[in-house]
Amino acid sequence: MKANLILSNVLLGKFAVLTLLVGLVAGCNELSKDTAEPDPVGGPALVRVLTESQYRATIRDIFGEDVPVNGRFNKPIRSHGLNAVGSSEAGFSPAALEQYVISALGIAEHLVDEGRFNELTPCDLPAGEVVNERCLREFVSEVGYRLFRRPVSDEQLARFVSQAQFAQATLASPYAGLRYALVSMLTAPEFLLRVERVEPRSHRDDLAELDAYSKAERLSFFLANTSPDQALLEAAAKGALDIPEKLSQHVERLLDAPTLDAAVRAFFSDMLGFGAFDELVKDLDLYPAYNTTVALDAQEQTLRDIVRHLIKQNGDYRDLFTLRTTELTRPLGVVYRLPVASRNGWELTKFQEPNRLGIQSHLSFLALHSHPGRSSPTLRGASIREIFLCQEVPDPPADVDFSAVQSAPTDTIKTGRDRLQMHNNEPSCSGCHKIMDPPGLVLENFDGIGQFRQTESGAVIDASGDLDGVTYQDHQGFAQALRNHREAPRCVVEKMYRYAIGRDTVWKERYYMDYLIKSFEEQGYRITELMRSIALSENFFSIANPAVAEFAGQEEESL
Amino acid sequence: MKKLNRRGFLRGTLNGLTLGVALPVLDCFLTDSGKAFADTGARIPTRFGTWIWGCGHIPELWIPSSQGHNYEMPPHLASLQPYRHKLAVLSGFDVKLDGVPNKPHVTGCLGLRTGVPVPNTTVKAPTLDVLIADVIGAQTRFRSIELSTSGAKKSYSYRGPDSPNPSEISPMDLYQRLFVDGFQNPNNRSFKPDPEFMVQKSVLSGVQEERRRLLKLVGTGDRARLDEYFTSIREIEQKLAFQLEPPAPVEGFSLPGAPEAWSNDPTMENVMAKHKVMAELLARALQSQQTHVFNVLLSDTASNLRRPGTTSTYHTLTHEEPEDLVLGYQREVAWFAEQSMFAWRDFVAALDSIPEGNGTLLDNCIVLAHSDCSVAKSHAVDGIPMMIAGTGGGRIKTGFHLAGNADPITRVGLTLQQVMGVQTSTWGTMSMQTNRAVTDLLV
Amino acid sequence: MIPKYKKSRPRCPSFFGRWGCAMLTVMVLPNMTVAQSVEGRLDFVVSSIRYALTNGSGEAAACPNGVSRHTQGSANMCMTPQRGGIDTHMNVVTGNIKVEGINLDNRASDEDFEGFNEVQGVDNQFYRVVGCTPAYRQGGQGNGFETEMRTGAWGLLISVKGVDDMDNDDHVRVGIYANSDPIYLSAKRDPLPYATYAIHQDTQLHAETDGVIRNGKLSTRPIDFKFLSTVNSMLVHRVLRDARLEASINKDGTISGYLAGYSPVEAVYDENFGFRNAITKDGSLAPERLRSRSAYGKSLVLGYNCEGMYQALWNQADGHPDDFGRFTSISQQYVVKGIPAFIVNVPTASLNEELTRSGELK
């Protein structure tokens, strides 16, 4: 949806009006169809790398809570504003793959140390005896089924069993075979990569769809952020996921499961770009209250508020921008200047400062989108637009002169607004800054890590401005404007769908987007409803037939 | 047939059977001397050691004013200038007490080494050298060698509470132990490849069978990504193949001569000279692979070092000497602090003077030097100074100064354990519990 | 050694005596706004504490008889200082020198000091005792007990409730409590404002009294209280009787001033020199060897003899005379600074309880 690229306020205004008109016209013409899902479009089948949280959750689900994961995971690739889309582009360097080997060896070793193989093995293991072939086959079949998210093929089975037997013959330890069968599977591409498989659709030749196990995989990683459980795999095996009622039962089951929290956390942590916290640096002379605990707790605070509001309370997504209730730890209390009685852990509390409301006023947003030594109205403004409104802001011109923006305060230039004023006299800058700055300047009441302030360099901060036509005097007004911005729900819908399918949306999918947005609106902007709509839609499992779709360029060469 | 059942896993051991299978090193192959192999075609073991000096540092004379590679050598580290590219300077990492009473000179030292602050020597976890020796120390004659050069028969290497691994305090006894009683000529040992590595190599090479089948499933763009995966697997296999080769023969080793008798006089001068002799003996022992792990105590943490003709020891000086109002620190104390760094320089030089592979013995070591406190007069355990010398054959990076900014000091111990092949994802307790390695050290 | 008698003086220092006590340096913290009284309440955590001594000038004149020193190779009398012979290496302050502190008894007696900023009649006999020991002179280590407060081993909280006007208020309620949480520091080791602290659950370590604010200066009624500090991994009690807090409430949100009172002689000996009743974290008496060696070791490195300090403390005592007119306590003053904090009262069994963090995200 590149159409959201905006260059000026004027253009934005026109675009909004235009979209509105198109929407109205479309609504009249397709009155009878406005609640039905448009015909599926589909994109290419993807090869996605398991994310760290998905890897950890899978290991935990299959092998237990206390199994250590010792590898260090590579920094994810971000694409189209989501690591989930980047996961369809990431590869494995030798250094990255080594970490998975280390992790696999550690998991297998732990299971031996803890005597767990007895429970993992379908057959009874006589103590101290070499595990027989039948038992090895059963072990590989069962564990491989879970790890690969589909049945182990005969060739794979033969390979893993023969490797296990080689290990048994070479090493005189009773569990060597099981241990190395497991290491083989944990380093296999079928485990580390989600290779989506396609099968034709009976009644359409321009469209294909995911095979049953790939469907189960997409569903499970989307709604639970972990590998499919036994029940879902069984449903796939029986073809139940092709039957709408059965599919619906599984979707409901996953939406009711405790894993939904993890799925919602994974999505928002991705959307909010929390991965960037790993590299965030703050000047400790200017911000003595900032430390790694604050950085970690700040992310957790926002995710807790999101889960509490959206899942536990089934709240309106848009209210995240005006939420005053929050949960804090003592280190966060220092920065927010609020008492936190709980000595260790989280305490439900409420922001007292009138202008502190909404997740955009959390440290996790304010600190992340600031410079090491000062706040940045530009970074914050651009992030408000890109993260919450899906409006792309172009990169600055290459020859931009930052000296004025970075200079020390003078008699006339004291606040962030004063500094940015310099840009507005520069035609090559002013176009974009007029877009970026207002939603950033309103956050100037929060310093480079998010501490509240009334003044900067002695001058009172002017937080007023307008957001795409709605004027406000302070952040309270802005939060309302952001909450009511028509692009806010549209944006989360688009991002959620991209996240679910692992790729950017294509032009032809705009009607499907409109459909999702409309249902989201009708359902009171409930995030679980949106997830349900996506999971149950035909588009979700559809794959463009490579022979006819716009992805024809990617057709296979002969090997 | 039993079903896979997560609850079953959580129940613990099903038949009450717990197997104590001794597992050899599983993963240290991954970064083991890859560089040495590339350069010389020979495999050289990585050694690990710690080097402790008592009574901390004078921050204004020791902490570099900037971070990164281009830091200016501070006065007390000036003598280490020739080795700066082989050295990582770590300042500002804390032992977090969490309210545990601070037993001066003990809590900080053992907190750093065990990840758990204790108000005495009743350690609650093994020290990190012991954890690492469990992984790399089994194949050598000595699991580890401890020595103390100031006459104090002390050691900060603990497997369990109140039972330190005892230190050698006499150069003669050290010589006797290393090179006389039961000395093994390293080149006479037979080599048997570790069967674990053979199995691991076979496991990884088997993956290639999937290649053709998987490539058929995906489009052109994804084919390149899958190819990267299979190429990376090949590279790891090659590293494993390297582990199946016999280790490099020890070259240029000659038995050192027996040292003379030394007094236990803790004057700085005597200790410096004795330390040098013991460091050279230790270096020869490391070269000839009598041990792969060591712990050196230059001076006890409540240091008994003194200057000839004076009654006060280094430790008492830290408490009784007033700050020089012009300098802003204690003048006499600073002298001892600087001498301690000269001794560290001597130690680094002793390791670096022995050629090994395409570099030196030091290049194949990782030595963690640390003190017991940051500022001795107040026994502060935040910002305990540390240095790491040697890259362990390319397992870590050196050549920079990193400020810890009050992060738990356990991050360093965790990193060193991980690069030395200890299977652990977290280390330390309470505020010192961490799962975050120091990424600046990682290759 | 029999302490000599002195002229009897009023036992309790009078309240609301003088207003003109020493002005103290205003500590400026970055990013700190003007202090705000939330619901009439000002909470502080003590961020800095030390004995009130001198500012270093004229120290030589204070000790015409020379400085105290440790007798090399002397016997360890620290557990039984009353059995020691007269310590000829002990010297106390006899010369003229300005001393930090406030006038506790609203009198100017012979042994009182002249204070800074024209304060007269400063009662600080503790300084008289230690002032000729080099470690307690400028740049010395005797005043370093705050270090362990910074490491979180102990701490003090001050709350001022019922504040209607931060400059002038006829009645406020002041609480002084032992802190059960480690002080919260920045990465650069500076105490951070606006952290939350729980008061210690041992009510013996709580004290509450009335006070007034005049021209921005808080002054309390006399009160008995005690708090904990640590030495060599042991806990010692610090006891003050008829103590007063006199402190400025500064515009930067901090508080600074004196916490001063009379410490019973045996208690002041134990808190500083003898450690005879020092306890471990679980409240039991610390091992004799640890107490004895710590006390003797301190006397060695700080340069005095335990028995000499004990004798001097009794000799210089100036408060709470017993039935025979013998003074049993000695005036002792602390210079304290506090920064804004939130004080809560939550049940907790120990300093360490529930401090384990799980904050590292997966």
Side-chain angles (χ1 to χ4, degrees):
Chain A
M1 303 291 269
K2 300 280 189 269
N4 274 344
L5 181 81
I6 50 165
L7 290 170
S8 74
N9 257 343
V10 181
L11 182 55
L12 178 79
K14 276 186 186 158
F15 177 78
V17 173
L18 198 67
T19 320
L20 198 64
L21 285 174
V22 168
L24 286 172
V25 173
C28 290
N29 286 353
E30 299 174 38
L31 211 56
S32 58
K33 285 180 72 184
D34 65 353
T35 52
E37 180 186 348
D39 280 347
V41 177
L46 298 173
V47 177
R48 300 173 71 175
V49 178
L50 280 199
T51 66
E52 178 173 353
S53 60
Q54 291 165 351
Y55 181 98
R56 287 183 184 278
T58 300
I59 297 299
R60 186 199 60 219
D61 288 354
I62 302 178
F63 301 112
E65 292 279 354
D66 61 338
V67 176
V69 173
N70 293 338
R72 290 184 302 269
F73 289 78
N74 257 23
K75 189 177 172 242
I77 290 179
R78 199 159 177 81
S79 180
H80 296 88
L82 289 171
N83 295 345
V85 177
S87 77
S88 308
E89 298 164 16
F92 285 103
S93 68
L97 200 53
E98 270 185 8
Q99 295 299 322
Y100 287 100
V101 178
I102 288 176
S103 176
L105 291 166
I107 291 165
E109 185 181 348
H110 178 85
L111 295 174
V112 172
D113 284 350
E114 301 288 308
R116 292 276 193 77
F117 270 111
N118 262 23
E119 304 155 50
L120 279 168
T121 316
C123 52
D124 285 318
L125 287 180
E129 272 181 39
V130 168
V131 182
N132 63 33
E133 184 179 334
R134 182 184 59 85
C135 197
L136 287 173
R137 293 181 74 89
E138 283 175 6
F139 172 75
V140 168
S141 301
E142 289 239 354
V143 177
Y145 188 40
R146 292 295 305 278
L147 288 174
F148 296 173
R149 309 168 289 270
R150 61 178 60 238
V152 179
S153 73
D154 291 346
E155 296 87 4
Q156 286 172 325
L157 185 61
R159 174 164 84 84
F160 293 131
V161 169
S162 81
Q163 281 177 338
Q165 286 170 327
F166 176 69
Q168 285 183 165
T170 312
L171 306 165
S173 112
Y175 289 115
L178 295 171
R179 190 151 59 87
Y180 277 106
L182 185 57
V183 171
S184 311
M185 291 188 280
L186 287 171
T187 51
E190 291 87 347
F191 171 57
L192 299 175
L193 292 165
R194 295 163 52 186
V195 183
E196 292 181 335
R197 323 274 163 106
V198 178
E199 55 188 34
R201 280 172 69 118
S202 46
H203 56 287
R204 300 243 328 235
D205 53 7
D206 60 331
L207 264 189
E209 65 177 350
L210 293 177
D211 80 351
Y213 290 106
S214 294
K215 281 182 182 172
E217 192 175 84
R218 243 190 209 192
L219 265 185
S220 183
F221 283 114
F222 174 42
L223 298 179
N225 199 41
T226 185
S227 295
D229 60 9
Q230 202 80 253
L232 204 55
L233 289 173
E234 272 166 32
K238 289 183 195 145
L241 299 181
D242 299 328
I243 305 162
E245 303 80 59
K246 301 269 185 195
L247 173 68
S248 175
Q249 281 169 18
H250 279 282
V251 168
E252 294 311 318
R253 185 174 67 85
L254 291 173
L255 287 174
D256 281 342
T259 44
L260 179 68
D261 288 3
V264 170
R265 279 168 161 267
F267 167 69
F268 279 100
S269 156
D270 192 352
M271 171 171 159
L272 295 168
F274 282 170
F277 262 103
D278 290 343
E279 283 149 28
L280 190 67
V281 176
K282 293 293 170 190
D283 186 309
L284 298 176
D285 287 321
L286 295 169
Y287 304 119
Y290 187 85
N291 57 37
T292 43
T293 308
V294 166
L296 290 166
D297 286 358
Q299 299 166 61
E300 178 66 14
Q301 177 205 358
T302 303
L303 294 176
R304 276 173 177 263
D305 283 3
I306 287 172
V307 166
R308 192 186 62 254
H309 175 72
L310 295 183
I311 308 300
K312 307 252 177 331
Q313 298 168 352
N314 196 24
D316 184 327
Y317 165 76
R318 301 170 305 162
D319 292 343
L320 286 181
F321 300 113
T322 53
L323 208 60
R324 283 194 187 275
T325 313
T326 191
E327 286 172 66
L328 295 182
T329 59
R330 282 204 181 164
L332 288 177
V334 171
V335 186
Y336 286 105
R337 293 191 183 168
L338 286 171
V340 179
S342 302
R343 167 176 265 191
N344 176 54
W346 293 87
E347 185 159 303
L348 199 63
T349 182
K350 222 172 167 180
F351 294 132
Q352 301 296 319
E353 161 57 43
N355 277 308
R356 181 89 73 176
L357 72 167
I359 58 171
Q360 74 281 10
S361 73
H362 284 189
L363 304 191
S364 65
F365 184 83
L366 298 167
L368 193 59
H369 305 292
S370 291
H371 298 300
R374 66 154 53 123
S375 66
S376 169
T378 304
L379 287 179
R380 285 174 180 171
S383 300
I384 289 274
R385 294 218 178 263
E386 290 178 351
I387 293 174
F388 298 122
L389 302 174
C390 292
Q391 298 165 333
E392 285 185 34
V393 178
D395 290 333
D399 58 349
V400 64
D401 175 13
F402 283 112
S403 56
V405 191
Q406 284 163 351
S407 58
T410 66
D411 285 349
T412 49
I413 303 175
K414 289 181 172 171
T415 64
R417 188 181 292 265
D418 297 340
R419 286 190 295 274
L420 285 169
Q421 196 61 45
M422 309 294 289
H423 277 323
N424 291 347
N425 303 329
E426 202 52 57
S428 67
C429 302
S430 62
C432 293
H433 275 278
K434 277 180 183 159
I435 301 162
M436 293 185 290
D437 295 349
L441 285 169
V442 72
L443 295 168
E444 278 295 277
N445 277 132
F446 305 99
D447 70 10
I449 63 167
Q451 295 172 120
F452 186 77
R453 59 180 177 185
Q454 297 277 16
T455 59
E456 184 182 4
S457 315
V460 174
I461 290 165
D462 172 9
S464 66
D466 87 277
L467 179 67
D468 302 337
V470 182
T471 58
Y472 48 81
Q473 288 309 306
D474 53 19
H475 182 250
Q476 286 191 82
F478 172 81
Q480 278 302 328
L482 185 59
R483 184 204 176 277
N484 297 330
H485 199 295
R486 62 187 305 278
E487 295 296 325
R490 171 177 282 272
C491 182
V492 77
V493 166
E494 277 179 19
K495 290 211 166 164
M496 181 70 91
Y497 184 63
R498 288 180 204 163
Y499 174 86
I501 58 171
R503 61 170 171 82
D504 193 13
T505 39
V506 296
W507 177 244
K508 283 183 178 171
E509 284 173 306
R510 65 192 182 280
Y511 300 115
Y512 173 60
M513 284 298 110
D514 289 342
Y515 155 77
L516 284 181
I517 290 155
K518 194 165 179 2
S519 357
F520 189 41
E521 185 186 326
E522 285 167 0
Q523 288 145 352
Y525 305 101
R526 313 291 151 182
I527 218 79
T528 46
E529 297 296 335
L530 172 61
M531 293 172 86
R532 179 182 285 115
S533 301
I534 292 173
L536 292 176
S537 67
E538 276 193 81
N539 277 269
F540 185 53
F541 292 143
S542 291
I543 298 296
N545 190 329
V548 289
E550 60 188 280
F551 303 99
Q554 293 193 3
E555 79 189 75
E556 285 189 42
E557 297 154 15
S558 61
L559 284 168
Chain B
M1 184 163 107
K2 282 180 280 173
K3 283 275 173 204
L4 278 179
N5 175 338
R6 199 172 128 212
R7 268 196 216 104
F9 301 157
L10 294 175
R11 269 204 310 271
T13 315
L14 199 71
N15 301 333
L17 174 79
T18 310
L19 280 185
V21 184
L23 290 169
V25 191
L26 287 181
D27 60 328
C28 70
F29 72 86
L30 291 165
T31 49
D32 190 24
S33 301
K35 191 166 153 285
F37 178 61
D39 291 349
T40 64
R43 183 156 62 86
I44 296 168
T46 299
R47 287 76 147 198
F48 176 82
T50 66
W51 191 94
I52 304 174
W53 81 97
C55 290
H57 65 341
I58 311 285
E60 47 273 65
L61 298 177
W62 194 94
I63 300 176
S65 55
S66 64
Q67 297 195 61
H69 288 265
N70 299 319
Y71 68 91
E72 195 182 324
M73 220 63 182
H76 276 189
L77 297 180
S79 68
L80 288 147
Q81 177 67 24
Y83 304 100
R84 64 176 288 151
H85 58 294
K86 299 191 176 190
L87 208 62
V89 178
L90 306 172
S91 65
F93 285 94
D94 290 4
V95 166
K96 306 281 186 192
L97 293 170
D98 290 324
V100 170
N102 183 9
K103 170 78 177 167
H105 308 291
V106 171
T107 303
C109 186
L110 290 175
L112 182 160
R113 295 176 70 92
T114 66
V116 191
V118 278
N120 42 45
T121 57
T122 311
V123 295
K124 294 192 173 151
T127 51
L128 77 144
D129 58 292
V130 167
L131 297 171
I132 291 171
D134 284 348
V135 175
I136 66 166
Q139 305 99 322
T140 51
R141 231 180 107 209
F142 299 104
R143 183 173 282 264
S144 67
I145 286 288
E146 279 68 41
L147 51 99
S148 164
T149 63
S150 65
K153 201 162 174 59
K154 282 274 192 79
S155 146
Y156 292 92
S157 170
Y158 285 77
R159 182 174 292 280
D162 300 310
S163 61
N165 296 316
S167 281
E168 294 291 344
I169 59 168
S170 138
M172 277 172 83
D173 292 350
L174 180 67
Y175 176 81
Q176 183 77 20
R177 191 163 164 223
L178 290 173
F179 300 112
V180 180
D181 305 335
F183 173 74
Q184 283 176 354
N185 185 326
N187 293 334
N188 290 349
R189 284 188 303 185
S190 62
F191 171 73
K192 265 204 307 200
D194 186 335
E196 291 278 343
F197 292 142
M198 289 166 65
V199 174
Q200 286 166 19
K201 183 170 177 299
S202 122
V203 160
L204 293 183
S205 59
V207 175
Q208 301 295 339
E209 289 173 28
E210 312 281 328
R211 185 172 175 274
R212 220 183 137 68
R213 194 177 49 77
L214 273 173
L215 287 183
K216 274 187 190 165
L217 284 172
V218 304
T220 327
D222 291 333
R223 227 171 268 160
R225 294 167 63 212
L226 274 176
D227 256 335
E228 188 190 3
Y229 167 88
F230 287 108
T231 312
S232 296
I233 287 278
R234 276 264 181 262
E235 223 173 280
I236 301 172
E237 264 182 80
Q238 280 162 11
K239 282 193 181 177
L240 280 166
F242 166 53
Q243 290 300 319
L244 300 172
E245 299 292 319
V250 175
E251 285 175 358
F253 173 74
S254 56
L255 268 177
E260 52 186 287
W262 286 80
S263 89
N264 274 342
D265 178 14
T267 54
M268 194 79 224
E269 193 182 14
N270 185 55
V271 170
M272 293 280 281
K274 185 165 49 166
H275 165 265
K276 205 166 168 182
V277 169
M278 292 177 90
E280 282 159 9
L281 288 175
L282 178 67
R284 288 287 169 194
L286 292 169
Q287 183 197 14
S288 60
Q289 297 179 23
Q290 307 303 303
T291 186
H292 286 164
V293 179
F294 60 89
N295 295 289
V296 178
L297 186 63
L298 171 73
S299 53
D300 192 16
T301 52
S303 175
N304 54 343
L305 296 173
R306 61 185 191 86
R307 287 177 103 156
T310 58
T311 52
S312 295
T313 66
Y314 179 16
H315 171 241
T316 54
L317 272 174
T318 64
H319 296 294
E320 66 188 15
E321 186 192 359
E323 258 181 23
D324 185 306
L325 294 176
V326 179
L327 294 174
Y329 52 82
Q330 297 163 300
R331 186 191 293 269
E332 282 289 299
V333 168
W335 184 84
F336 281 101
E338 185 173 31
Q339 293 292 312
S340 301
M341 292 301 96
F342 289 155
W344 167 236
R345 185 262 333 267
D346 291 345
F347 188 81
V348 170
L351 297 184
D352 204 45
S353 67
I354 295 179
E356 196 175 67
N358 258 18
T360 69
L361 173 62
L362 178 64
D363 297 332
N364 295 307
C365 291
I366 292 178
V367 190
L368 171 67
H370 68 83
S371 196
D372 58 290
C373 59
S374 54
V375 179
K377 68 178 179 189
S378 60
H379 300 133
V381 296
D382 46 6
I384 298 180
M386 293 183 292
M387 284 168 283
I388 294 173
T391 63
R395 288 180 193 227
I396 58 166
K397 288 193 287 196
T398 53
F400 57 88
H401 164 232
L402 175 71
N405 290 331
D407 269 9
I409 208 159
T410 39
R411 291 189 63 200
V412 176
L414 174 73
T415 312
L416 294 180
Q417 288 177 58
Q418 288 181 339
V419 299
M420 291 308 297
V422 179
Q423 276 281 358
T424 184
S425 52
T426 63
W427 194 53
T429 57
M430 297 189 284
S431 299
M432 286 221 283
Q433 185 179 345
T434 185
N435 58 12
R436 298 186 305 127
V438 179
T439 46
D440 304 69
L441 283 168
L442 298 174
V443 178
Chain C
M1 175 77 210
I2 300 161
K4 70 180 182 195
Y5 280 73
K6 275 207 210 163
K7 194 174 56 160
S8 181
R9 270 180 285 111
R11 175 170 170 267
C12 295
S14 75
F15 185 52
F16 298 151
R18 303 172 66 89
W19 294 111
C21 94
M23 279 302 291
L24 291 157
T25 325
V26 172
M27 185 169 58
V28 180
L29 293 172
N31 292 324
M32 193 176 284
T33 53
V34 171
Q36 286 169 348
S37 152
V38 179
E39 291 163 6
R41 180 168 171 171
L42 298 168
D43 286 349
F44 304 93
V45 62
V46 171
S47 57
S48 142
I49 182 168
R50 61 178 178 83
Y51 295 125
L53 301 173
T54 71
N55 68 1
S57 59
E59 272 184 337
C63 305
N65 302 323
V67 295
S68 307
R69 60 187 170 87
H70 181 78
T71 313
Q72 288 295 324
S74 64
N76 179 353
M77 302 303 296
C78 296
M79 294 294 102
T80 51
Q82 70 281 7
R83 291 197 203 151
I86 291 182
D87 179 7
T88 53
H89 289 148
M90 182 74 202
N91 283 302
V92 300
V93 173
T94 53
N96 237 348
I97 187 165
K98 282 190 177 182
V99 173
E100 295 174 313
I102 55 175
N103 186 339
L104 279 169
D105 56 8
N106 199 22
R107 286 164 153 246
S109 319
D110 291 346
E111 81 276 19
D112 288 0
F113 289 97
E114 183 188 343
F116 295 96
N117 289 47
E118 291 165 22
V119 178
Q120 299 299 321
V122 170
D123 301 286
N124 194 345
Q125 290 295 95
F126 179 75
Y127 167 70
R128 197 173 285 286
V129 172
V130 299
C132 293
T133 302
Y136 289 86
R137 304 179 84 174
Q138 202 185 26
Q141 310 298 319
N143 220 345
F145 62 95
E146 174 197 280
T147 303
E148 300 254 341
M149 182 184 86
R150 294 288 191 110
T151 65
W154 60 278
L156 266 185
L157 302 169
I158 298 171
S159 90
V160 188
K161 291 180 203 162
V163 182
D164 306 313
D165 179 340
M166 279 169 40
D167 290 323
N168 288 289
D169 196 319
D170 285 341
H171 181 245
V172 294
R173 188 77 182 156
V174 177
I176 302 174
Y177 313 97
N179 186 359
S180 69
D181 286 307
I183 194 162
Y184 195 72
L185 302 177
S186 74
K188 302 235 166 181
R189 336 284 177 201
D190 299 316
L192 286 166
Y194 304 107
T196 306
Y197 299 100
I199 63 178
H200 204 288
Q201 291 301 287
D202 180 352
T203 51
Q204 290 185 58
L205 304 174
H206 299 181
E208 290 181 3
T209 183
D210 293 327
V212 297
I213 302 174
R214 292 279 152 74
N215 299 323
K217 196 170 295 286
L218 172 72
S219 208
T220 69
R221 281 186 181 281
I223 185 175
D224 294 352
F225 79 96
K226 59 180 173 182
F227 60 103
L228 292 168
S229 70
T230 53
V231 60
N232 206 8
S233 80
M234 302 175 291
L235 294 166
V236 292
H237 284 95
R238 292 178 176 265
V239 184
L240 282 183
R241 294 182 62 189
D242 295 317
R244 282 161 46 195
L245 175 67
E246 280 206 15
S248 303
I249 297 173
N250 304 313
K251 294 301 173 201
D252 66 357
T254 64
I255 190 171
S256 52
Y258 292 105
L259 188 55
Y262 293 85
S263 182
V265 172
E266 296 292 334
V268 80
Y269 173 74
D270 282 327
E271 89 186 19
N272 260 294
F273 312 107
F275 315 140
R276 291 172 302 182
N277 55 3
I279 54 177
T280 62
K281 254 185 87 59
D282 61 16
S284 61
L285 194 63
E288 149 109 43
R289 187 182 141 93
L290 181 60
R291 284 178 284 136
S292 165
R293 288 201 165 196
S294 299
Y296 188 71
K298 184 173 178 185
S299 74
L300 188 77
V301 297
L302 294 194
Y304 58 84
N305 295 310
C306 282
E307 61 272 30
M309 281 295 178
Y310 185 79
Q311 292 154 11
L313 287 168
W314 275 112
N315 284 338
Q316 304 303 328
D318 60 343
H320 299 99
D322 61 15
D323 294 344
F324 306 102
R326 184 175 83 153
F327 293 105
T328 62
S329 68
I330 184 165
S331 50
Q332 190 185 34
Q333 308 212 14
Y334 295 97
V335 179
V336 293
K337 290 175 184 171
I339 55 172
F342 300 107
I343 298 175
V344 294
N345 190 354
V346 287
T348 165
S350 81
L351 195 61
N352 245 344
E353 192 182 51
E354 301 250 298
L355 267 172
T356 311
R357 292 198 55 82
S358 55
E360 308 216 23
L361 294 178
K362 288 288 182 288

